[in-house]
Amino acid sequence: MLLTIKLIIFLFFIFLFNSFSNVAAAEQKLLTEYESINPDSLFYSFKRLGEQIQIFFTFNNNEKLRYPLRLLDTRFNELVYTVNLQKTGFLTEVISRYNTQVGKIKRDFKNIDSADQDKLAQKIKILEVLRDRYPANSSYWLSIQQAIDTTRSLL
């Protein structure tokens, strides 16, 4: 009887540990999706220029409406890169670009479909993880909290 209880407890802890490791692995995978050119690159200005040229030469109205959401994904990936690699010199600027993109979407989109709302909710969860890497109420923590709040305003 005692052996059975010990075995059950042992299996429970193995199951529990395995569950946490799978969640941590999934979270780490989400937090390591980067852009090929990031704000610390010398080519970043050319990337931004290319984004402006691309929107100018986009003639399909449906694609033109989806482009701001794709840019938000890009800004989010740049933010994740900046925090993960501790490029704090770029963090304020990257968060400002992210918040600006959220503001443009809020201004231009009257309603966001449920698939995009799910993606935004997932971004909020990741932003909360990134925020918690900094001491509470530090300037970086507050900046990322502002990004969380502006993203929530889209939901």
Side-chain angles (χ1 to χ4, degrees), residues 15-148:
F15 174 75
L16 186 67
F17 177 73
N18 191 26
S19 298
F20 283 134
S21 65
N22 289 341
V23 169
E27 180 181 283
Q28 188 62 27
K29 183 175 176 24
L30 287 173
L31 297 179
T32 56
E33 193 174 305
Y34 303 137
E35 293 296 311
S36 57
I37 299 175
N38 287 290
D40 63 338
S41 171
L42 293 174
F43 300 107
Y44 188 71
S45 300
F46 297 111
K47 175 186 173 183
R48 297 283 314 270
L49 179 64
E51 292 169 355
Q52 297 302 315
I53 291 170
Q54 184 175 358
I55 191 66
F56 182 76
F57 286 110
T58 302
F59 300 112
N60 182 341
N61 284 336
N62 189 28
E63 184 61 29
K64 212 169 224 181
L65 287 174
R66 300 292 305 163
Y67 191 71
L69 291 170
R70 286 200 345 246
L71 267 183
L72 182 65
D73 291 338
T74 300
R75 298 295 170 253
F76 177 77
N77 290 341
E78 292 169 357
L79 176 57
V80 169
Y81 169 85
T82 304
V83 172
N84 278 349
L85 297 182
Q86 300 174 352
K87 306 277 186 176
T88 54
F90 298 95
L91 188 58
T92 305
E93 187 176 342
V94 169
I95 291 173
S96 176
R97 285 191 194 114
Y98 176 83
N99 287 337
T100 300
Q101 192 61 37
V102 171
K104 288 178 182 178
I105 291 170
K106 188 174 181 179
R107 178 193 67 206
D108 296 340
F109 284 71
K110 299 304 176 216
N111 54 7
I112 297 175
D113 63 20
S114 62
D116 290 328
Q117 285 185 354
D118 292 342
K119 285 176 65 176
L120 289 170
Q122 187 177 26
K123 282 179 176 35
I124 289 171
K125 290 178 184 176
I126 294 171
L127 285 170
E128 288 170 345
V129 171
L130 296 176
R131 176 200 61 200
D132 292 340
R133 292 185 180 177
Y134 296 101
N137 296 326
S138 68
S139 63
Y140 298 131
W141 188 94
L142 291 170
S143 296
I144 296 174
Q145 181 60 46
Q146 182 182 17
I148 293 168

